[in-house]
Amino acid sequence: MPSNDTCAPLSRRALLGRAAAIGGAASMLPLLPAWARSGTPGLPPVAPTLSGDHIALTVAETPFSVGGRTGHAITVNGTLPAPLLRLREGRSVRLSVTNRLAADTSIHWHGLLLPFQMDGVPGISFPGIRPGETFHYEFPVRQAGTYWYHSHSDLQEARGHYGPMIIDPADADPVAYDREHVLVLSDWSFLHPHTIMRLLKQEGGYFNRRHLTLAGLADHGDPEQRIPLRDRAMWAGMRMDPTDIADVTGAAYTYLVNGHGPEENWTGLFRPGERVRLRVINASAMSVFQVRIPGLRMTVVNADGENVRPVTVEEFQISVAETYDVIVEPDEDSAYTIVAESADRSGMARGTLAPRMGMSAEVPPLRPRPLLGMADMGMAGMGTGGMDHAGMDHGSMDHGSMSMRDPANAPPDVHVGVGVDMIAPMPQDRTGHPGLGLEDVGHRVLTYRDLVALEPNPDPRPPSRTMQIHLTGNMERFMWSFDGRRFSEVVEPFRFARNERVRVTLVNDTMMQHPIHLHGHFFEVVNGHPGRHPRKHTVNVLPGSTVTFDFTADAPGDWAFHCHLLFHMHAGMFNVVSVRPLDGGPA
């Protein structure tokens, strides 16, 4: 069938005309799909996207410029982000992906319910796409919502191989809006991802340029470092660093909105009084963002592609691979800054909502960075947030051998070897926590407990068994794993009987947050709303905490299950979920 590609390359004359219209962003144009260009007037139903029953995509290497520098990106149809795919629920689609790289590639359709052979994970569900070959993905479109797609080969995702995907509902959309914009948040580095990986292996905190210093103790020192000496001694005794929030920081990354750096100020237009739907996708390799629009409240209506009861907030944290749809209603003839700070506050992605091009609003400075506390070490009972020493007997506490270092805390099925350097002694459910550094910001911040599914959960059966999966690692050696075992061919998959109902608890034994993603399924996050638990494909597990979800293994096959921090996955926090029997196959 012919492709319905309406995003054909611009002619040179047309390109120059657009470039003149938007001034400083001219150098970006060849790499930006139409929907992502600064000043797009929004995405009407017939926006210039790729849609239809047969879509052709080509993966290749392309120069990419941001902040006055140019590097080499891996792009789809020559753009970063990749083209917006707009599909419709209830149809079938054929996506033909041609590989023009010198290495294998792949595309995984993140969050989609499809046959496992179409999931796009080399070595798990298909062999990958060799150089010069074309692979045809074909599957029925079973759902609506905001999704995205990306490479699952090597570290290509960190080089730009990702793009958004919207699936319009077969029936009327329960969310009313006048205009929409897609916001793809991401991180970009001119360092090759294998170089980043090597540096992290050499020194886990290589990109953390905010270590505590002796000068920080002084009255005139950095106020963010005024931590009492005894607390510093305690952290040192534990061989931990309270500033270790992100593995890769703004020291290496430029944070992007739709491929634009902060100075390029991607701008989405609106008319005062309109209901504007923002479809926010975190397509980063390693960056958790905290999103707010000063002066505007945001009503969250959709999470990970699933509708939720509207909840109005002024900020939300979006972890890697999550999506949130929000409604904003700007009623003034003013510009508003879209602020997406990295969770460690080392930088921000920035855009603007405005009635006209050329407008901008004040860009707030980065807020003070958060510091890790007792709860982030899985010792929430000993204080929350920062160092709360009330009631702590430091004289008798052996900080140099804190129980978090005691392998006796590990359950029998966790392998404690060189790849595990801590076991959280008292991890707690923190689904009511807004995110690191957002506890006391003075306005309402979304938590997982605010999410209530709009429709009743489809499987009302109680779980027939429970299981725990520990998220483990050695932060100093940059080793990451499930249950102390890095992924390899000899690691047993997580096995489920087809249609089995299981309650799974993820236990984060580390001091890093981990966005855990399950392919090919939704699960219900147990957050105190039985029957209407929010259905998600990715859940962020805060440091030293637990998240529980109910899971119906209703999709036979082998599925990837992993941390969506790309370098954590690459280092070993990955496994296979195996659901049997297959259609017509043996148990």
Side-chain angles (χ1 to χ4, degrees):
M1 300 177 65
S3 171
N4 195 20
D5 184 349
T6 57
C7 193
L10 293 172
S11 68
R12 177 177 173 78
R13 177 171 297 178
L15 188 63
L16 291 175
R18 287 175 181 266
I22 63 173
S27 62
M28 297 296 302
L29 275 176
L31 266 183
L32 292 169
W35 63 269
R37 288 176 192 147
S38 183
T40 175
L43 293 169
V46 291
T49 65
L50 303 184
S51 61
D53 299 331
H54 185 190
I55 294 172
L57 302 172
T58 299
V59 182
E61 191 160 354
T62 311
F64 173 70
S65 298
V66 66
R69 298 178 63 188
T70 300
H72 292 280
I74 294 178
T75 61
V76 178
N77 288 13
T79 68
L80 186 165
L84 170 64
L85 305 184
R86 190 135 206 163
L87 310 178
R88 181 165 292 278
E89 182 184 23
R91 303 287 294 269
S92 293
V93 66
R94 176 183 173 93
L95 297 136
S96 299
V97 180
T98 300
N99 182 8
R100 299 298 183 202
L101 300 174
D104 288 7
T105 192
S106 59
I107 289 184
H108 161 60
W109 315 101
H110 186 98
L112 260 58
L113 306 175
L114 37 59
F116 78 94
Q117 300 93 336
M118 297 291 112
D119 192 47
V121 181
I124 304 298
S125 53
F126 85 136
I129 308 172
R130 305 280 187 263
E133 294 185 348
T134 297
F135 184 84
H136 304 285
Y137 295 85
E138 295 183 88
F139 51 86
V141 181
R142 297 172 50 192
Q143 61 207 100
T146 301
Y147 302 93
W148 62 296
Y149 60 102
H150 60 84
S151 171
H152 231 289
S153 297
D154 196 37
L155 298 173
Q156 294 174 2
E157 185 186 335
R159 298 182 62 196
H161 189 340
Y162 51 79
M165 179 168 44
I166 296 173
I167 302 176
D168 293 308
D171 301 317
D173 195 327
V175 179
Y177 57 96
D178 304 306
R179 181 191 297 255
E180 69 178 357
H181 293 295
V182 179
L183 300 178
V184 178
L185 307 178
S186 61
D187 45 27
W188 169 264
S189 178
F190 288 98
L191 287 175
H192 194 284
H194 280 296
T195 300
I196 293 177
M197 188 74 184
R198 176 175 54 80
L199 293 172
L200 289 172
K201 292 292 287 184
Q202 291 174 347
E203 181 183 349
Y206 181 88
F207 295 101
N208 180 8
R209 308 293 166 82
R210 294 179 166 184
H211 293 295
L212 299 179
T213 63
L214 286 176
L217 283 169
D219 288 342
H220 59 277
D222 180 355
E224 296 180 2
Q225 294 208 24
R226 290 176 190 162
I227 302 174
L229 188 59
R230 66 176 184 178
D231 290 350
R232 291 169 178 250
M234 186 184 73
W235 282 100
M238 295 185 295
R239 290 176 283 121
M240 296 290 184
D241 183 349
T243 70
D244 197 3
I245 308 294
D247 293 307
V248 190
T249 70
Y253 280 147
T254 299
Y255 301 108
L256 307 179
V257 174
N258 294 341
H260 291 261
E263 299 304 319
E264 293 153 356
N265 190 24
W266 180 90
T267 300
L269 300 182
F270 68 87
R271 294 187 183 92
E274 285 185 326
R275 284 172 57 87
V276 182
R277 183 175 190 165
L278 303 178
R279 298 178 182 264
V280 187
I281 301 166
N282 187 349
S284 296
M286 292 293 287
S287 303
V288 178
F289 290 106
Q290 296 170 346
V291 180
R292 68 190 195 279
I293 306 176
L296 285 181
R297 297 197 302 170
M298 301 177 287
T299 300
V300 179
V301 295
N302 189 286
D304 285 6
E306 291 282 308
N307 291 321
V308 296
R309 289 179 180 171
V311 54
T312 299
V313 300
E314 285 148 297
E315 186 165 7
F316 62 89
Q317 174 167 290
I318 182 168
S319 196
V320 176
E322 291 185 309
T323 72
Y324 284 108
D325 289 15
V326 302
I327 299 291
V328 296
E329 299 182 72
D331 56 8
E332 296 183 4
D333 189 45
S334 302
Y336 300 86
T337 297
I338 303 167
V339 180
E341 285 179 314
S342 62
D344 69 320
R345 312 277 167 77
S346 64
M348 71 167 67
R350 169 246 181 163
T352 294
L353 291 176
R356 294 176 298 280
M357 283 304 300
M359 299 179 69
S360 62
E362 178 184 1
V363 180
L366 290 168
R367 295 173 293 188
R369 63 181 172 178
L371 294 175
L372 297 172
M374 303 302 279
D376 304 305
M377 291 185 283
M379 295 188 286
M382 302 174 71
T384 57
M387 287 286 111
D388 179 0
H389 292 270
M392 293 175 63
D393 182 356
H394 292 273
S396 61
M397 181 177 288
D398 181 2
H399 290 146
S401 58
M402 292 288 284
S403 56
M404 56 191 287
R405 297 288 194 187
D406 187 351
N409 287 327
D413 55 349
V414 172
H415 174 70
V416 179
V418 68
V420 176
D421 68 349
M422 69 173 286
I423 297 291
M426 293 182 290
Q428 296 191 4
D429 181 338
R430 298 170 72 196
T431 50
H433 194 282
L436 295 174
L438 297 177
E439 303 93 335
D440 303 310
V441 291
H443 55 241
R444 186 174 182 186
V445 183
L446 183 75
T447 74
Y448 280 154
R449 290 184 191 171
D450 294 323
L451 298 175
V452 182
L454 192 63
E455 300 294 333
N457 295 149
D459 189 347
R461 295 178 299 163
S464 58
R465 71 176 169 112
T466 61
M467 64 183 294
Q468 279 193 359
I469 298 174
H470 285 251
L471 319 182
T472 46
N474 183 324
M475 296 173 65
E476 292 184 3
R477 299 190 181 205
F478 205 74
M479 300 170 70
W480 302 100
S481 55
F482 289 126
D483 292 334
R485 298 174 180 84
R486 299 174 64 230
F487 180 66
S488 70
E489 293 182 354
V490 299
V491 171
E492 282 294 307
F494 299 119
R495 300 184 187 279
F496 297 88
R498 187 170 179 176
N499 292 322
E500 184 183 20
R501 183 82 167 154
V502 183
R503 173 159 290 187
V504 179
T505 296
L506 303 174
V507 182
N508 187 352
D509 286 321
T510 80
M511 293 181 65
M512 284 284 169
Q513 47 191 326
H514 299 286
I516 302 300
H517 173 49
L518 173 62
H519 288 220
H521 297 79
F522 283 100
F523 48 74
E524 295 108 45
V525 178
V526 177
N527 68 344
H529 304 289
R532 290 184 182 268
H533 286 141
R535 282 159 49 86
K536 290 175 64 62
H537 49 63
T538 304
V539 65
N540 192 55
V541 189
L542 291 173
S545 74
T546 66
V547 170
T548 296
F549 62 77
D550 289 341
F551 168 58
T552 299
D554 56 1
D558 292 329
W559 304 95
F561 177 76
H562 60 92
C563 177
H564 223 287
L565 296 180
L566 185 62
F567 296 116
H568 288 191
M569 179 182 72
H570 197 69
M573 193 176 278
F574 183 102
N575 205 341
V576 174
V577 162
S578 183
V579 180
R580 294 291 187 275
L582 302 176
D583 289 325

